[in-house]
Amino acid sequence: MDDVIGLVWAGMISGCLYAMGAIGIVLIYKSSNVVNFAHGNLAGLAAFLVFGFTAGIFSNMAWGAAVVLTFAIMIAVMAVSYFLIAPLVFKSDLTSTIATLGVGLIAQGATQLLFGSNVVSLDLPLPDWRAELGPILVTAYDMAVLVTTALAIGLLYVLIERTRIGIAFRAVSAHPFASRVCGLSLRRVHLFSWVVAGLLGLVAALLIVPTTFLSSTSVASFMLQAFAAAVVGGFNSLPGAVLGGIFIGVIMNLLSFYVAAEFNNTYLLLTILIVLNVFPKGILAVRGGVRV
C-alpha cells in the first residue's frame, strides 16, 4: 500500500507538468481548431535558451534573469510561429495543423544549429530539502512543481475570466463566426493563445528537464504525455487538460512500476485509444458540465 501511495504522489507531480503542456495545446485548439504539434519542440528550444544564457554559451546570467529574457524571446518566437501558419488557419484546420509539424521541425533544427545534438543538464536553483510524510517523500522540487502549477493555472484563470482579451478568447472559442461578425479580431485571439501556450511550455520544460536530461528531442518526447492528457480531458476543456494530466501521470507511474517501464509509449497509446473509444470528446466534454 505504501508503494501505491508513493507512486500516486510521484504521478501527481509528473501530471502537473503534463497538465501545463496540455493546457497550451488546448488553448490553441480552442481558439483556432489547430492541433499544435510544434508545442514540444518550441518548449525544448525555450529550455535550451535558458541553458545558453546560464551556461556561458551566450552569456553567464543569473538563472532568474535568463528566464525573464527567455520569456521575452519566446513571446517573439511564438508570434513568428503563429504568423507562419496564420494564412492557413482560415482556409483549412487540417492544413494548418500539418503546418505546425513544419514549425516544429524548424524549431528543432534551430535548436540543433545553435546548441548541437549533445545531451546537457539544466538544474533548478532549489535547496536540498526533503521531508517524509508517512510513505510520501516530499522534496523541494515537488513543492516547486505544485506551487508553479497552481500559480500558472490561477493566473490563467484570472487572465481568461477578468481581462478583455480573455473574454474575447472565450467568445471566439464558443462562436468564432459570431465573434468575427461582432468585430472581434480572430487573429489577435489566436496570437494570444499561441503566446500564452509558449510561455506555459517554457515553464513546463524548465520543470521537466531536472527529472531527465535536455536534448533537442527530450522535451518534445515528454510532451507526448501532454498530448495524451489533452485527449483524455477533451481538447475543448481547460479543466479537462489539468485532470487529464494528473490521470496520465498517475496511470503511467503505476503501469511502469507494476508491469514494465520499457513499454511506456505502448501504455500511452493504449490509454489514448481506450479514452477515444469510450469518451470520443474527452471525459469532461462528455459530461458537458465544465467549460472555460
Side-chain angles (χ1 to χ4, degrees), residues 152-224:
I153 293 174
L155 289 173
L156 182 62
Y157 175 82
V158 172
L159 188 63
I160 291 177
E161 293 290 332
R162 306 298 182 191
T163 65
R164 297 184 66 178
I165 186 63
I167 294 172
F169 170 82
R170 286 189 286 139
V172 170
S173 300
H175 298 288
F177 178 75
S179 301
R180 193 172 187 178
V181 170
C182 292
L184 291 178
S185 171
L186 299 190
R187 289 184 184 273
R188 183 185 176 199
V189 173
H190 295 169
L191 180 59
F192 161 79
S193 63
W194 272 77
V195 168
V196 174
L199 297 182
L200 287 172
L202 166 58
V203 174
L206 292 177
L207 293 172
I208 290 165
V209 174
T211 66
T212 173
F213 55 86
L214 181 59
S215 72
S216 59
T217 59
S218 60
V219 177
S221 298
F222 193 92
M223 284 296 177
L224 290 176

Side-chain angles (χ1 to χ4, degrees), residues 40-216:
N41 287 320
L42 289 167
L45 173 61
F48 260 107
L49 287 174
V50 174
F51 170 76
F53 289 130
T54 56
I57 296 177
F58 299 143
S59 179
N60 281 302
M61 292 183 177
W63 199 86
V67 172
V68 171
L69 179 57
T70 304
F71 261 81
I73 293 173
M74 284 308 295
I75 291 174
V77 168
M78 295 307 293
V80 171
S81 299
Y82 168 68
F83 286 124
L84 284 175
I85 71 164
L88 304 174
V89 171
F90 298 100
K91 295 180 180 179
S92 169
D93 298 337
L94 178 60
T95 302
S96 51
T97 294
I98 293 173
T100 64
L101 292 171
V103 173
L105 291 175
I106 292 172
Q108 183 177 341
T111 302
Q112 293 178 339
L113 181 65
L114 292 172
F115 303 98
S117 57
N118 294 331
V119 174
V120 300
S121 62
L122 178 64
D123 295 324
L124 294 174
L126 296 174
D128 186 17
W129 174 87
R130 59 190 60 211
E132 292 187 9
L133 301 177
I136 299 175
L137 176 64
V138 182
T139 65
Y141 172 77
D142 297 338
M143 297 306 298
V145 171
L146 291 175
V147 171
T148 302
T149 303
L151 285 175
I153 293 174
L155 289 173
L156 182 62
Y157 175 82
V158 172
L159 188 63
I160 291 177
E161 293 290 332
R162 306 298 182 191
T163 65
R164 297 184 66 178
I165 186 63
I167 294 172
F169 170 82
R170 286 189 286 139
V172 170
S173 300
H175 298 288
F177 178 75
S179 301
R180 193 172 187 178
V181 170
C182 292
L184 291 178
S185 171
L186 299 190
R187 289 184 184 273
R188 183 185 176 199
V189 173
H190 295 169
L191 180 59
F192 161 79
S193 63
W194 272 77
V195 168
V196 174
L199 297 182
L200 287 172
L202 166 58
V203 174
L206 292 177
L207 293 172
I208 290 165
V209 174
T211 66
T212 173
F213 55 86
L214 181 59
S215 72
S216 59

